[in-house]
Amino acid sequence: MVAMPKEAKMTPQEYFDWEEKQPIKYEYMDGRVFAMTGGTILHNDTARKTVKKLLSTDHQKILPTSLQLRYHIGEPICPG
């Protein structure tokens, strides 16, 4: 049996302080940090078309991709 190293967890503030010094984007969840993959032309085209469609409806808010949200799993996400 191989012993697995204990995974260090960050507080949200530790993550934000660390993240601003990183050359790539990361995602923070429950104290753990995950590298995010780069976007593709298809992904960006799909996002653009989706936003265009939503703008023609009655949606209350369309949020930018660079926005960071804090939420608790199981609770609805409803930005103010």
Side-chain angles (χ1 to χ4, degrees), residues 14-48:
E14 288 171 333
Y15 168 72
F16 289 129
D17 293 343
W18 173 84
E19 180 198 30
E20 62 188 32
K21 300 174 190 124
Q22 303 310 307
I24 64 172
K25 290 187 175 190
Y26 287 85
E27 186 171 331
Y28 174 86
M29 184 173 164
D30 192 29
R32 296 180 300 166
V33 176
F34 304 91
M36 295 175 65
T37 60
T40 64
I41 292 173
L42 177 60
H43 175 268
N44 286 319
D45 192 44
T46 302
R48 182 186 56 78

Side-chain angles (χ1 to χ4, degrees), residues 36-75:
M36 295 175 65
T37 60
T40 64
I41 292 173
L42 177 60
H43 175 268
N44 286 319
D45 192 44
T46 302
R48 182 186 56 78
K49 288 177 182 177
T50 301
V51 167
K52 184 177 178 182
K53 184 71 171 173
L54 289 172
L55 286 172
S56 68
T57 67
D58 237 3
H59 283 74
Q60 292 181 350
K61 290 189 185 213
I62 298 174
L63 304 173
T65 59
S66 60
L67 182 68
Q68 293 180 336
L69 296 176
R70 181 178 296 182
Y71 65 94
H72 297 282
I73 295 175
E75 293 182 12

